[in-house]
Amino acid sequence: KDDFDGIAAMAPFLEEETLDYLVKRCERKPEDAAFVQELAAFLSEETLDWLVKNWGGGFDKEMLEMLAPFLEEESIDALADIQIAHGNVCSLAGLYPFMEEDTLKKVARALMEQGNLDALKEVAPYI
């Protein structure tokens, strides 16, 4: 149930549904960004959404940026909400091009509340 390396090694040879099932059965969160990146191309959008909803609060900036091209806009927006709730607003910078305008405004408000004007300048061009 916790063999992420084994799952990643089998990913290219498994049906999407089988891989989705195996990933969802894992009981511990994937802490290795390389694992998530390896699997992202093989997983369904639904399972990627599930990863974001269940473990998104613990994803570091690198992992978020690796997942962004594989996620739907609404998943990225949900991920942004999780990161804002955890006070990790600055980790979202690499996701700005993938976010909808309302989410970008939430990010900007959170940065203003934190008094982080430098980061606010980074999000401004996308609003």
Side-chain angles (χ1 to χ4, degrees):
K1 290 184 179 182
D2 292 333
D3 186 10
F4 288 117
D5 292 331
I7 293 172
M10 293 186 303
F13 308 103
L14 296 174
E15 295 285 330
E16 185 178 84
E17 296 82 22
T18 303
L19 185 59
D20 289 349
Y21 174 80
L22 291 173
V23 167
K24 288 181 179 179
R25 297 275 306 166
C26 288
E27 293 180 351
R28 70 176 171 91
K29 143 179 131 168
E31 296 174 6
D32 183 6
F35 162 79
V36 176
Q37 183 180 22
E38 287 176 38
L39 288 182
F42 300 105
L43 293 170
S44 68
E45 288 178 356
E46 176 188 307
T47 299
L48 283 173
D49 290 344
W50 181 84
L51 281 170
V52 166
K53 289 175 185 165
N54 286 279
W55 299 327
F59 287 176
D60 63 14
K61 182 179 177 181
E62 180 182 306
M63 193 178 299
L64 296 175
E65 290 175 2
M66 281 189 242
L67 282 176
F70 300 103
L71 296 173
E72 298 235 350
E73 189 176 77
E74 58 193 42
S75 296
I76 291 172
D77 295 337
L79 183 57
D81 289 339
I82 292 168
Q83 293 297 324
I84 290 168
H86 283 89
N88 300 329
V89 184
C90 291
S91 68
L92 297 170
L95 302 181
Y96 296 159
F98 303 99
M99 289 181 190
E100 67 176 31
E101 188 173 347
D102 288 341
T103 302
L104 289 164
K105 289 177 183 178
K106 285 184 203 176
V107 169
R109 277 191 294 278
L111 291 169
M112 285 175 41
E113 290 171 6
Q114 291 179 354
N116 192 338
L117 298 179
D118 290 333
L120 187 58
K121 290 177 189 176
E122 291 179 29
V123 74
Y126 297 96
I127 297 177

